[in-house]
Amino acid sequence: MVKQRPDSAGIPDADISLLKYLCGLVGVSVDPDLRLVDAGEAFWTDLTRIASEQLVLTVMAGAVSRLRDLPPEADEALAFFRHIEDSNRQRNKWLLEQLDLAGRALIDAGVPALVMKGGAFLLENRSDAAAWRFFGDLDFLVPEDRLEESVAALKALGYADRGSVYHPKFHRHYPFLSHPDGGTGIDLHTRAAGLHQADLLDPQHFFSHAQTVSLDQGQILIPSPTDRLAHLMVNAQVLDYRYQRRLFRLRDVLDFARLIGRADVDMDDILKRFETYGATGPMLAYLAMMENVLRPAYQAPPEAAGEGKWVKSVRRVMENPSRAKLYVFRHWVRMLAEKLFDREHRRHLFERLLDRDQRAEFIGRRLSYWRIFRR
């Protein structure tokens, strides 16, 4: 059953909480009166660097402008933050236009489509979408048996794929469709997560619990707040092994803060999904991290109290990203051992290696991981 979207809620002042956390990462605190404490000459350079690494640079202007008694050297940094904010505002307006066009094209083609991830925030907050965080691309979830029609509808708008390999069994979305101007692109998903995460993110559940939002003409679907929060957590903690590798993105705090305070978010449902999948630990660690950043506005459930060690290790990686190499290497060794001794994983691996196109992509991706590790 499709429901109308309720008014947005969420945790207020998430940008201020983020700023305080970022300041702490570079050894500076913010007192209760929003004054910086012990900010040295290199502070503004360090703050800009780490905010950029964590993909939250676009919300820094608003947060920094609320600080009191800023020193003169803050003027240059604040001007830079405002420039980034203005650029992002123009980009988000343009992205919203592209989202409207793509959404209408899919609707006109008769394809039931869900707008996922950042696009859902843009649509449900049209009045202030332009001022919201940075969004890289646009994501739609479509039924697998309607993928061909979806691709044709978007190519009619000028989108083009890069000729990448696509195998429905191994890929959760069609190869990236680039906008003709090169400013963005679209991922057409047939699954909300990997093949083995069906218990966490069932596409049929996404469609049956969807809500409607307005395009500039007509309406389109977005996932329910519960599904969006579950999707956010799965992307952060399950896909790409970010939990094991201590790779946490502070950008997620902004999305989490907009979703968690809503009355129609069912955390019990999300917990059951993660329990069924056997990923309760990663979910609780995620909530513990959110509490660490957003306290006192958000308090994680008591069960998350045991994840303090993980939260501290993530903070150390943020302070010095090269520390992630140890966690990445350790995870590679463990994962290799598990897959070699698991019959299903061995069968899956051999199946990919026997296919020429899949073999090339598989080897290329592993080489890219090695180049990242060598940095």
Side-chain angles (χ1 to χ4, degrees):
M1 180 177 66
V2 175
K3 300 179 181 179
Q4 292 292 328
R5 178 187 61 83
D7 292 336
S8 299
I11 296 174
D13 296 328
D15 58 338
I16 294 294
S17 297
L18 261 180
L19 176 60
K20 291 179 178 179
Y21 191 82
L22 291 170
C23 289
L25 292 176
V26 296
V28 174
S29 59
V30 180
D31 70 17
D33 294 324
L34 295 183
R35 292 183 176 88
L36 295 173
V37 179
D38 300 326
E41 293 182 0
F43 166 71
W44 296 105
T45 300
D46 293 339
L47 177 65
T48 301
R49 172 187 56 79
I50 201 163
S52 178
E53 291 172 354
Q54 294 298 320
L55 305 177
V56 294
L57 195 59
T58 57
V59 299
M60 283 297 100
V64 170
S65 64
R66 293 170 62 183
L67 296 177
R68 298 182 179 181
D69 301 332
L70 288 174
E73 56 266 27
D75 292 344
E76 184 177 351
L78 188 53
F80 173 71
F81 291 146
R82 284 174 176 158
H83 170 71
I84 295 296
E85 184 182 52
D86 289 342
S87 298
N88 187 63
R89 180 178 291 109
Q90 296 304 315
R91 172 180 165 78
N92 281 1
K93 287 181 179 178
W94 180 79
L95 279 176
L96 191 54
E97 293 172 0
Q98 304 313 309
L99 190 52
D100 284 328
L101 290 171
R104 285 207 312 272
L106 292 173
I107 291 171
D108 291 344
V111 176
L114 271 167
V115 180
M116 306 283 283
K117 300 183 179 180
F121 287 102
L122 286 174
L123 287 175
E124 71 174 0
N125 297 286
R126 296 185 74 96
S127 60
D128 69 337
W132 190 227
R133 69 163 175 85
F134 172 80
F135 299 98
D137 52 24
L138 303 174
D139 298 84
F140 289 88
L141 178 67
V142 299
E144 188 170 352
D145 61 353
R146 307 297 297 275
L147 179 61
E148 187 174 340
E149 298 166 71
S150 304
V151 172
L154 294 178
K155 285 187 174 181
L157 291 178
Y159 286 88
D161 62 49
R162 298 174 176 174
S164 302
V165 176
Y166 173 67
H167 194 300
K169 184 174 182 178
F170 301 121
H171 300 116
R172 61 182 181 274
H173 61 74
Y174 188 80
F176 189 69
L177 291 165
S178 299
H179 188 274
D181 293 342
T184 188
I186 292 177
D187 278 329
L188 282 173
H189 297 255
T190 56
R191 297 193 299 270
L195 184 63
H196 303 293
Q197 287 94 38
D199 291 334
L200 279 168
L201 302 173
D202 178 12
Q204 295 303 319
H205 187 278
F206 271 57
F207 278 103
S208 64
H209 291 75
Q211 299 177 349
T212 59
V213 291
S214 297
L215 297 171
D216 62 342
Q217 296 179 23
Q219 291 185 319
I220 198 167
L221 301 177
I222 62 172
S224 70
T226 299
D227 283 332
R228 289 166 66 186
L229 185 55
H231 193 208
L232 180 68
M233 296 166 71
V234 169
N235 273 282
Q237 299 292 82
V238 178
L239 299 181
D240 301 325
Y241 309 107
R242 300 184 70 86
Y243 167 75
Q244 292 87 346
R245 298 174 181 181
R246 309 307 194 267
L247 300 175
F248 187 88
R249 297 170 296 194
L250 287 177
R251 183 187 67 178
D252 285 3
V253 173
L254 298 169
D255 293 353
F256 180 87
R258 286 216 170 182
L259 291 170
I260 192 62
R262 300 185 182 187
D264 51 352
V265 168
D266 188 348
M267 285 302 299
D268 290 335
D269 175 67
I270 295 176
L271 177 59
K272 288 178 182 177
R273 298 190 207 184
F274 276 82
E275 285 179 342
T276 301
Y277 183 70
T280 304
M283 186 202 74
L284 292 176
Y286 184 88
L287 297 178
M289 186 66 193
M290 289 301 174
E291 177 183 320
N292 195 252
V293 178
L294 293 169
R295 66 163 62 104
Y298 171 72
Q299 184 175 355
E303 297 87 344
E307 301 297 333
K309 184 177 179 181
W310 186 86
V311 170
K312 290 179 180 178
S313 64
V314 167
R315 183 185 178 97
R316 288 195 294 268
V317 169
M318 289 182 185
E319 292 171 340
N320 183 1
S322 66
R323 289 174 175 159
K325 293 180 180 180
L326 171 63
Y327 296 108
V328 171
F329 179 74
R330 186 174 69 180
H331 177 250
W332 276 349
V333 172
R334 290 178 176 176
M335 185 171 60
L336 181 62
E338 289 174 1
K339 288 189 175 183
L340 287 177
F341 285 97
D342 185 283
R343 178 180 297 178
E344 179 63 21
H345 274 110
R346 289 202 307 270
R347 186 194 64 77
H348 181 74
L349 175 62
F350 291 147
E351 192 174 303
R352 295 192 72 175
L353 292 176
L354 288 174
D355 184 281
R356 184 180 63 181
D357 292 334
Q358 287 294 312
R359 182 169 63 245
E361 186 207 31
F362 180 84
I363 295 173
R365 182 170 294 184
R366 269 63 196 173
L367 289 174
S368 70
Y369 291 161
W370 174 248
R371 286 194 292 271
I372 292 173
F373 179 75
R374 289 187 62 188
R375 294 175 190 170

